[in-house]
Amino acid sequence: MANLILPFLARRLQRTPAHLLLLSHIIPSLSSSPSPSSKLPFHFLFHALHQTSLIPTLQTHHFSTFQPFSAHNLDDPFDFNHPRFRTYDPHDRFLLRFLELLREFPHYPSEAEAMTSLDDSGIEVNSEMIYSAVWELREEWRLALLAFRWSEKWGCADEKSSNLMIWVLGNHRKFNTAWCLIRDMHQSKVDTRRAMLIMIDRYASANDPCKAIGTFHIMEKFRLSPDQQAFHTVLNALCKYGNVEEAEEFMFVNKKLFPLETEGFNIILNGWCNISLDIFEAKRVWREMSKCCITPDATSYTNMISCFAKVGNLFDSLRLYEEMKKRSWVPGLKVYNSLIYVLTCQNCLEQALKILAKMKGSGLQPDSATYNSMIHPLCEAKMFEEARNILTVMMEENLGPTMETYHSFLEGAGFEGTLEILNQMRKAGLGPTGDSFLIILSRFFKLGQPENALKIWVEMKQYEVEPSHTHQSVLVQGLATCGWLTKAREFYADMRSKGFAEDPKLKKLLKEPARDSMHKGKRRVQQLNREGWVNHGKGSRVRWKIHRNKSRRKKKEIKKSNLEL
C-alpha cells in the first residue's frame, strides 16, 4: 500500500469534486496494507523535519469540529446522554400513556389536580418507568419534576431516578430545587454521594467554579467524606468546562489534605493540552511537575505529545515520543495518532505512513481517528486524491467513515458535492448536525459564494436541523461581508423576531452610513476644491491651481509645436 501511495507526494494534484470521494465504488482500490517496519529510529524521524518545503505548512486554526485524537479522554461518569444509561424501551405503551398525561399538566389549574389526574389514570408506577419518563422529559424540567414528585408519593423514587432528576435540574440551572431533592434524599437515608458529585459537575458546566468547589467543601454536612475520588471529580469537572486555572489553584491549595501526585497533574495537563490547548501553560505545568518531584507517566507524555501535535510542533512531538520510550513507557494508540497527525500536517505523509506501519507492527490496530488524522490535514491542503486513497485503505480495514471524515471532505466540495456528502451522512446515520452546516456556511462565505450559502440555509430544514444563534450570526455576518446588506438585514430582523438577543457587532455591521456624515463629506470636498486643493492619496494634497497652470503650459507648448509644423 505504501509503495502505491507514496508516489502521490511527488506531484501536486488537481482538485476533485468531493461528492465523489465517499462513494466506495468510485474510489480507486489500493493494494494490501504495508508490511510493518521493523525499526524506526529517532534520527530517521527527524529527517522528516527537512521535507516540509514541498507544500505550504497546513493551518488548522479556523472553525472545525475535527478532533483527530484526544490524549486523555476521561470517561464522564455524569454524562447521562451516554448509551449506557438508556436501559428502557421508549416505545412502551404504559410509558407513552404516562408521558401523554404529563404533557396535559399545563391544562390543569394546579399541581394537586394534576397529581389527582395521575392517581385516577390507573397507571401502575414503578422506578424504571419513572426513570424513563424523567429522561424523555429532560428538556421540560417542570414536567420531569412532576413525574418525579408523583413517584415519591408512591415510594418509587429511588437513587437512580433521583440522580437523573438532579442532573436535569442542573442542566436548567434550577440548583435550589436540586438542593431540595438532595436534602430529601439525605433525610430519607438515601446515599447522596453521587448526587453531590453531579452537582459539582453541573455547577462547573454552568461556568460557576466557585459553587462547584463549595459543594465539595460542604459534603461533610451530608456525612460524606471528600475523598480522593471526589477531589479528582472537582478537578475533572473544572477542566472539562474550561476552568483549568481554577482547577490548578484548587489542587495546590489542597495539597496538604491531598498531596500532589501524578494523576492530579495529569488532569491539569489534560485541561491545558486538550481542552484549552494552551501549549505555554502545558509546558509550565510540565516544569512544575519536575519541581514538585512528580514523575510523569504514560498519560503525562500522551497529553504533552497530543498538545505539541495539535499546534504543529513536530520536533517536540518526536522528542517526547523518544523520551517516553527511553523511560519504558509503551506508546499507546493516541500517541501514534498524534504523531501521524503532526507528520501529515507538516507535509511528511511518507513518514506518517511508516508510523502507521510501526504501530501495526507493535500489535496496535488503527482506528477511525488514525485515518482521520491523515485525511483531515490532507483535505485542508487540497490534496484530495491522497485523502481519497487514505479513505480507501480505511474502508479496506473495515473502518467506516465517521462524522469527522465527512466534515474533512466538505473542505473541497462544491454545492452539488456538498449535497451528496450530506446525503451520505444521513444514510450512514451520522447527521448532518448543526456543526456540519456551520462548516459549510463558513466555507461558502469564505469563498465569496453567498448564493450557495442561502441554498444550504434552505437545505437545513430538509435535514431537520434547527438554526441556532450561531448559525443565524454566521449567516447575517457572511451576507453583510459579501455585500448582500438587504438580505442580511432581513435575516437579522427574522433572528430578532425569534427571540434571539440583540448582537451589537451585527447591528453595527448592518448600519447604513449616516446621511449627515455623507453631506459633511460632500461639503468638505467642495470646500477643498474651492480652495484649490486636490487629494492624491495618502497625505499628499496638491494645489489645484498648480495642475491648472501645468495644463495651460502644456496647451501652449502643443499650440507652438503645431505652428512650427
Side-chain angles (χ1 to χ4, degrees):
M1 183 272 292
N3 293 332
L4 289 175
I5 294 181
L6 298 182
F8 290 109
L9 289 172
R11 67 184 191 274
R12 297 298 302 273
L13 301 170
Q14 295 181 349
R15 299 181 183 181
T16 306
H19 66 281
L20 302 176
L21 306 183
L22 304 177
L23 302 175
S24 59
H25 63 280
I26 294 180
I27 300 172
S29 61
L30 300 179
S31 60
S32 58
S33 302
S35 57
S37 176
S38 58
K39 191 175 182 181
L40 196 60
F42 188 40
H43 64 81
F44 180 78
L45 290 177
F46 266 98
H47 183 64
L49 295 170
H50 304 290
Q51 298 185 3
T52 58
S53 60
L54 295 179
I55 58 177
T57 301
L58 311 186
Q59 300 296 325
T60 58
H61 302 296
H62 58 79
F63 174 82
S64 176
T65 59
F66 176 69
Q67 296 294 333
F69 42 80
S70 176
H72 187 48
N73 187 17
L74 296 168
D75 185 23
D76 185 358
F78 311 115
D79 182 12
F80 285 88
N81 289 304
H82 196 281
R84 68 174 178 271
F85 290 107
R86 303 174 194 175
T87 58
Y88 60 92
D89 180 10
H91 304 294
D92 181 87
R93 60 188 183 92
F94 295 107
L95 172 61
L96 293 175
R97 175 58 181 158
F98 184 45
L99 294 173
E100 182 181 344
L101 291 172
L102 287 169
R103 289 195 168 98
E104 293 177 1
F105 169 65
H107 303 294
Y108 291 99
S110 66
E111 181 178 328
E113 291 191 32
M115 290 283 195
T116 302
S117 176
L118 290 173
D119 291 339
D120 298 337
S121 65
I123 294 177
E124 295 183 5
V125 64
N126 59 70
S127 58
E128 286 300 320
M129 188 177 73
I130 294 300
Y131 182 89
S132 303
V134 172
W135 168 257
E136 288 293 328
L137 297 168
R138 62 194 179 278
E139 300 300 331
E140 305 169 83
W141 69 271
R142 295 180 186 275
L143 299 184
L145 186 60
L146 175 64
F148 181 80
R149 290 299 188 193
W150 188 63
S151 71
E152 285 184 318
K153 181 178 179 180
W154 294 98
C156 297
D158 59 4
E159 182 183 342
K160 180 182 175 183
S161 57
S162 298
N163 290 334
L164 176 61
M165 189 67 240
I166 289 168
W167 180 77
V168 170
L169 291 169
N171 289 345
H172 294 273
R173 303 194 177 200
K174 303 300 176 183
F175 292 108
N176 290 338
T177 306
W179 278 116
C180 291
L181 292 188
I182 293 176
R183 181 199 60 197
D184 294 343
M185 291 172 66
H186 178 66
Q187 292 176 350
S188 302
K189 309 300 181 183
V190 177
D191 185 12
T192 59
R193 176 180 176 77
R194 182 170 174 78
M196 299 286 283
L197 299 181
I198 291 172
M199 287 292 282
I200 291 172
D201 183 77
R202 292 299 86 198
Y203 272 128
S205 72
N207 198 28
D208 197 339
C210 293
K211 289 186 178 178
I213 293 171
T215 303
F216 172 81
H217 289 305
I218 66 171
M219 288 181 71
E220 290 182 352
K221 293 185 178 180
F222 291 85
R223 299 174 185 174
L224 299 169
S225 60
D227 55 11
Q228 192 87 4
Q229 181 190 10
F231 179 69
H232 286 160
T233 297
V234 178
L235 294 180
N236 276 320
L238 293 175
C239 288
K240 180 171 60 175
Y241 298 106
N243 297 302
V244 189
E245 188 175 348
E246 290 81 357
E248 187 176 345
E249 181 182 357
F250 177 72
M251 182 180 72
F252 279 102
V253 166
N254 291 276
K255 65 181 180 180
K256 290 185 178 179
L257 185 60
F258 301 100
L260 300 175
E261 34 73 51
T262 305
E263 186 174 356
F265 269 103
N266 284 343
I267 295 172
I268 304 301
L269 270 180
N270 178 60
W272 289 125
C273 292
N274 299 308
I275 297 170
S276 296
L277 192 55
D278 191 325
I279 189 63
F280 300 103
E281 291 296 329
K283 287 180 179 180
R284 179 187 57 76
V285 172
W286 186 264
R287 293 191 298 268
E288 196 68 36
M289 290 179 71
S290 179
K291 291 179 183 178
C292 298
C293 300
I294 303 297
T295 304
D297 62 7
T299 302
S300 311
Y301 278 99
T302 302
N303 281 324
M304 289 301 293
I305 292 171
S306 167
C307 192
F308 280 125
K310 286 179 179 178
V311 299
N313 189 330
L314 176 58
F315 181 90
D316 285 319
S317 299
L318 297 175
R319 177 179 61 81
L320 284 182
Y321 167 69
E322 282 298 310
E323 186 178 313
M324 180 181 186
K325 292 193 299 180
K326 287 178 181 178
R327 295 198 175 193
S328 300
W329 296 114
V330 179
L333 184 61
K334 292 173 183 176
V335 171
Y336 285 114
N337 288 354
S338 299
L339 296 178
I340 288 171
Y341 176 75
V342 70
L343 283 166
T344 309
C345 280
Q346 297 299 324
N347 317 315
C348 304
L349 182 57
E350 180 178 353
Q351 281 69 29
L353 292 169
K354 289 181 179 179
I355 286 285
L356 177 63
K358 181 177 178 63
M359 182 178 71
K360 291 180 178 179
S362 66
L364 289 173
Q365 288 301 315
D367 58 5
S368 298
T370 306
Y371 291 100
N372 286 337
S373 297
M374 290 184 278
I375 290 172
H376 182 72
L378 288 173
C379 287
E380 284 201 323
K382 313 303 179 188
M383 299 172 67
F384 296 111
E385 188 169 346
E386 286 91 337
R388 283 197 301 275
N389 284 312
I390 297 297
L391 176 60
T392 302
V393 178
M394 176 180 176
M395 297 175 72
E396 288 177 353
E397 297 280 345
N398 294 320
L399 295 170
T402 64
M403 186 180 295
E404 288 73 22
T405 314
Y406 290 110
H407 284 177
S408 297
F409 281 115
L410 282 172
E411 290 288 339
F415 180 73
E416 294 299 327
T418 297
L419 295 182
E420 182 65 31
I421 293 175
L422 293 177
N423 287 330
Q424 290 286 333
M425 293 180 74
R426 180 159 59 182
K427 290 177 183 178
L430 295 171
T433 64
D435 286 340
S436 309
F437 285 98
L438 278 177
I439 293 172
I440 298 168
L441 289 171
S442 299
R443 184 171 55 81
F444 278 139
F445 283 127
K446 185 179 179 181
L447 294 173
Q449 300 176 7
E451 64 283 356
N452 284 337
L454 288 176
K455 291 178 184 178
I456 286 295
W457 186 261
V458 175
E459 289 293 326
M460 287 180 68
K461 296 180 181 179
Q462 304 297 325
Y463 292 94
E464 300 177 354
V465 175
E466 188 67 26
S468 65
H469 180 271
T470 306
H471 290 99
Q472 297 270 4
S473 299
V474 168
L475 181 69
V476 173
Q477 183 175 347
L479 290 172
T481 304
C482 291
W484 290 33
L485 280 174
T486 303
K487 275 289 183 184
R489 294 190 186 102
E490 289 177 9
F491 279 101
Y492 183 72
D494 180 63
M495 174 181 170
R496 296 284 290 120
S497 69
K498 291 179 179 177
F500 289 114
E502 184 176 302
D503 192 323
K505 291 182 180 179
L506 292 181
K507 191 175 180 181
K508 183 179 180 181
L509 187 65
L510 300 175
K511 190 176 181 181
E512 286 184 335
R515 290 186 177 182
D516 291 341
S517 62
M518 292 176 65
H519 291 313
K520 287 179 182 177
K522 289 181 179 178
R523 287 197 297 270
R524 178 62 178 159
V525 171
Q526 292 171 358
Q527 182 181 358
L528 290 175
N529 288 342
R530 284 195 300 270
E531 292 175 355
W533 293 94
V534 177
N535 191 355
H536 280 277
K538 292 184 179 180
S540 63
R541 293 192 303 166
V542 183
R543 282 219 176 249
W544 174 70
K545 64 174 69 177
I546 295 175
H547 286 266
R548 183 179 56 190
N549 292 338
K550 285 184 178 179
S551 179
R552 287 176 177 175
R553 193 181 306 119
K554 189 172 183 180
K555 287 181 180 178
K556 287 182 180 179
E557 291 175 354
I558 294 174
K559 187 175 181 180
K560 184 178 179 182
S561 64
N562 289 336
L563 290 173
E564 291 175 352
L565 290 172

